[in-house]
Amino acid sequence: MTAGRLILLVTSPRVAAGLLTAQAWDAVRTGRVLAATADHPQAAALAAEDITVEEYGPPDPRGLLDAAAEGDVVWLGSPDGDPGLTDGLASDVARRTAYSQPAPEIEILTGSYD
């Protein structure tokens, strides 16, 4: 079984919402887009392009990896940088690998620069 990808999309809070790199736009157009809250700073700009942002709640590494097992998932990083998320993802991927379970590819994508 081939797992999908989990893309962690990080953006600068100092750059206007929607001013994303071409790679970021490609990612949000092709994957399921999740955010901690429905009022994420990028949500309105994405909705204007008919891209649905699903409210997920606080980032749960295991849940995000499970979601990515079904296909590509884009996580919209929170303005606070989602403390502990990458450590939790690394720990869960290591656990899955140790038990020969498939783990999705994880990519950190910079969506805007300042």
Side-chain angles (χ1 to χ4, degrees):
M1 179 173 139
T2 303
R5 289 184 309 158
L6 173 59
I7 300 169
L8 306 176
L9 181 61
V10 294
T11 57
S12 171
R14 293 178 293 276
V15 175
L19 292 178
L20 300 173
T21 63
Q23 286 181 308
W25 277 110
D26 289 344
V28 297
R29 286 186 178 114
T30 59
R32 182 176 170 204
V33 181
L34 306 176
T37 62
D39 64 348
H40 185 280
Q42 296 292 338
L46 296 179
E49 295 297 318
D50 294 324
I51 298 168
T52 302
V53 176
E54 299 175 44
E55 183 171 0
Y56 183 81
D60 166 41
R62 183 172 294 157
L64 289 172
L65 290 172
D66 288 344
E70 299 171 12
D72 290 354
V73 171
V74 178
W75 173 258
L76 296 180
S78 300
D80 69 356
D82 299 317
L85 177 59
T86 54
D87 290 343
L89 289 170
S91 177
D92 201 57
V93 166
R95 182 187 60 76
R96 289 173 190 232
T97 303
Y99 291 103
S100 300
Q101 297 173 337
E105 177 183 326
I106 299 173
E107 176 182 347
I108 298 175
L109 177 59
T110 303
S112 64
Y113 299 90
D114 63 355

